[in-house]
Amino acid sequence: LNQWSKLLTFLEDGHLELDNNRAERAIQPFVIGRKNFLFSNTQRGAQSSAIAYSLVETAKENKLNPFAYLENLFERLPNVDTDDAEALAELLPWSETLPEAVRTPHK
């Protein structure tokens, strides 16, 4: 009963998932390989690892080829004004302006 308001929120919004299995599957490669990430022995290394995994998993969720997406980012970012929010928005994984080459073909 003390969670009733949260249950109602879940029932009213069809986008909410009942469990976090999807999120757990997304981080599984990181958890399995954590012993191999020796560069994460510092806070900066761990933060860099988290950023890299976030980019890869967000690319996957947006049906992009992670390698092609990162390659596109590394090619374009040096020439982008990082103070220009619109220019940065064009590089986000859900941007409609990304080149077709980074998209995973629909099967």
Side-chain angles (χ1 to χ4, degrees):
L1 289 176
N2 65 348
Q3 301 294 321
W4 190 255
S5 65
K6 294 176 179 89
L7 175 63
L8 288 179
T9 301
F10 167 75
L11 294 174
E12 292 171 356
D13 188 346
H15 294 97
L16 297 176
E17 296 186 28
L18 185 57
D19 55 37
N20 67 346
N21 289 343
R22 193 164 142 208
E24 288 183 9
R25 281 192 307 275
I27 65 168
Q28 186 179 13
F30 182 75
V31 173
I32 290 171
R34 69 180 164 217
K35 289 183 182 177
N36 296 326
F37 302 131
L38 298 176
F39 60 88
S40 292
N41 63 353
T42 66
Q43 184 175 353
R44 288 185 65 199
Q47 185 176 18
S48 298
S49 178
I51 291 169
Y53 270 91
S54 294
L55 285 169
V56 169
E57 293 303 324
T58 305
K60 287 180 188 177
E61 283 295 312
N62 286 277
K63 296 178 177 47
L64 302 179
N65 175 327
F67 181 82
Y69 175 65
L70 290 175
E71 187 175 45
N72 181 58
L73 281 182
F74 295 147
E75 288 174 358
R76 292 180 59 191
L77 270 174
N79 302 316
V80 172
D81 177 10
T82 56
D83 293 327
D84 183 357
E86 287 183 30
L88 289 175
E90 290 180 5
L91 300 175
L92 295 174
W94 49 85
S95 173
E96 298 292 329
T97 62
L98 288 172
E100 200 59 37
V102 304
R103 301 190 190 285
T104 303
H106 297 288
K107 296 178 182 177

